[in-house]
């Protein structure tokens, strides 16, 4: 390879690196929605309380950094002849792991704590058969309030060159769902699949207070898929989209 070409490629690489932008979203962005279990129509106990704990792994908007948290969920579900409803509260506590900023950057950090509390609401229209509950048309909503060191970091760098942030502490996400729950004859064993598509209100991109430029990340909204399984009164939930989540819990009838 000729020397001038090498210098040319090196210059391009340096230019690209120097123009890199750092983008930081709220800790719960795109991972605030979580599956809310509910009894099936043929359950003897049509109202139940569910408690679960789990682990969540999410990523930054440019997929450079990772967020890992533990989450505790408490919810109440009700089944009616042609409709169901669930509502609950949750708390999340975790760490934002930096992989993008290098040690020579003045704002470098390794990990920053974040926490969040909030509530969720879910409902579906239901067609029930002997073996399947078709929860064909439904909605899910989630509200979360964030706190912690990671939030303080976003606020601190929001006017720094090449940093683009969303400094919101409160998120509200709403979307549509469709779901199928398969049940055994004894109803002790149930499993199903739920798909969600929606969006978070106020998603207007990432800003720098000293720049008129609005950094946008192309996204089809919030899209997730969840698998639910109940054996006796124990429940397992696996969910993923921009993130993945694993939860284990118990149903109190």
């Amino acid at each position: 390879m000729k020397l001038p070409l090498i210098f040319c490629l090196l210059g391009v690489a340096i230019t690209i690196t120097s123009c890199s932008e750092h983008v930081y979203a709220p800790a719960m962005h795109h991972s605030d929605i979580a599956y809310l279990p509910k009894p099936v129509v043929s359950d003897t106990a049509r109202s139940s309380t569910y408690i679960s704990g789990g682990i969540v792994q999410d990523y930054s908007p440019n997929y450079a950094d990772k967020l890992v948290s533990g989450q505790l969920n408490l919810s109440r579900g009700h089944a009616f002849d042609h409709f169901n409803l669930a509502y609950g509260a949750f708390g999340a506590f975790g760490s934002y792991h930096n992989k993008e900023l290098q040690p020579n950057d003045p704002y470098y950090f390794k990990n920053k704590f974040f926490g969040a509390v909030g509530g969720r609401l879910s409902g579906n229209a239901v067609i029930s058969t002997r073996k399947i509950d078709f929860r064909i048309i439904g909605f899910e909503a989630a509200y979360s309030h964030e706190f912690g060191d990671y939030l303080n970091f976003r606020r601190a760098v929001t006017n720094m060159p090449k940093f683009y942030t969303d400094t919101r502490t409160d998120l509200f996400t709403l979307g549509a769902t469709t779901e199928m729950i398969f049940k055994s004859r004894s109803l002790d064993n149930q499993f199903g699949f739920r798909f969600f598509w929606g969006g978070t209100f106020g998603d207007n991109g990432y800003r720098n207070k000293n720049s008129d430029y609005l950094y946008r990340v192309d996204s089809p909204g919030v899209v997730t898929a969840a698998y639910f399984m109940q054996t006796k009164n124990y429940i397992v939930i696996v969910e993923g989209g921009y993130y993945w989540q694993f939860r284990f819990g118990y149903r109190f009838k």
Side-chain angles (χ1 to χ4, degrees):
M1 184 179 290
K2 293 182 179 181
L3 192 60
L5 180 58
I6 294 176
F7 281 111
C8 181
L9 294 176
L10 182 60
V12 171
I14 293 173
T15 301
I16 292 173
T17 303
S18 64
C19 292
S20 61
E21 292 152 335
H22 310 300
V23 185
Y24 294 96
M28 299 295 293
H29 193 237
H30 287 172
S31 65
D32 51 350
I33 286 290
Y35 181 84
L36 288 179
K38 313 176 187 77
V40 295
V41 171
S42 50
D43 261 321
T44 53
R46 287 197 172 190
S47 295
S48 294
T49 298
Y50 300 84
I51 186 170
S52 66
I55 185 169
V56 182
Q57 180 172 297
D58 197 3
Y59 299 91
S60 61
N62 55 12
Y63 296 95
D65 300 335
K66 184 168 62 176
L67 298 84
V68 179
S69 62
Q71 193 170 120
L72 180 65
N73 301 270
L74 178 65
S75 66
R76 181 78 172 165
H78 305 276
F80 307 97
D81 288 340
H82 303 291
F83 183 75
N84 62 31
L85 184 69
Y87 45 86
F90 71 92
F93 304 91
S95 180
Y96 186 104
H97 300 275
N98 167 63
K99 299 293 184 182
E100 181 181 1
L101 296 176
Q102 300 304 306
N104 60 345
D105 190 289
Y107 297 99
Y108 170 80
F109 65 93
K110 186 176 181 181
N111 303 295
K112 285 194 179 293
F113 164 79
F114 68 84
V117 293
R120 298 186 175 109
L121 178 68
S122 175
N124 299 81
V126 181
I127 297 175
S128 182
T129 69
R130 185 170 63 89
K131 294 185 176 181
I132 303 175
D133 270 18
F134 295 93
R135 299 170 177 174
I136 50 175
I137 301 174
F139 75 93
E140 286 194 14
Y143 164 78
S144 65
H145 175 76
E146 181 188 349
F147 55 90
D149 296 335
Y150 173 57
L151 170 62
N152 296 334
F153 167 78
R154 294 203 311 276
R155 289 171 170 170
V157 300
T158 188
N159 59 351
M160 296 295 106
K162 300 180 185 178
F163 282 84
Y164 293 87
T165 65
D166 182 342
T167 58
R168 287 179 295 171
T169 59
D170 301 281
L171 300 180
F172 179 69
T173 300
L174 177 66
T177 64
T178 186
E179 182 179 354
M180 293 179 66
I181 295 290
F182 301 86
K183 48 199 176 182
S184 65
R185 182 175 299 179
S186 66
L187 300 179
D188 286 338
N189 300 313
Q190 303 172 17
F191 72 94
F193 304 90
R194 187 271 279 136
F195 298 94
F196 170 92
W197 179 70
T200 300
F201 290 83
D203 277 356
N204 297 317
Y206 303 88
R207 299 180 181 274
N208 183 300
K209 290 184 177 180
N210 290 332
S211 173
D212 294 330
Y213 176 69
L214 179 64
Y215 190 102
R216 292 188 179 275
V217 177
D218 292 333
S219 170
V222 182
V223 181
T224 74
Y227 171 75
F228 167 79
M229 181 177 69
Q230 175 184 309
T231 301
K232 301 294 183 179
N233 291 329
Y234 295 95
I235 61 172
V236 172
I237 300 167
V238 181
E239 188 163 2
Y242 292 93
Y243 65 98
W244 66 262
Q245 178 184 123
F246 175 82
R247 288 157 56 194
F248 179 79
Y250 191 83
R251 174 185 179 183
F252 298 90
K253 297 183 179 180

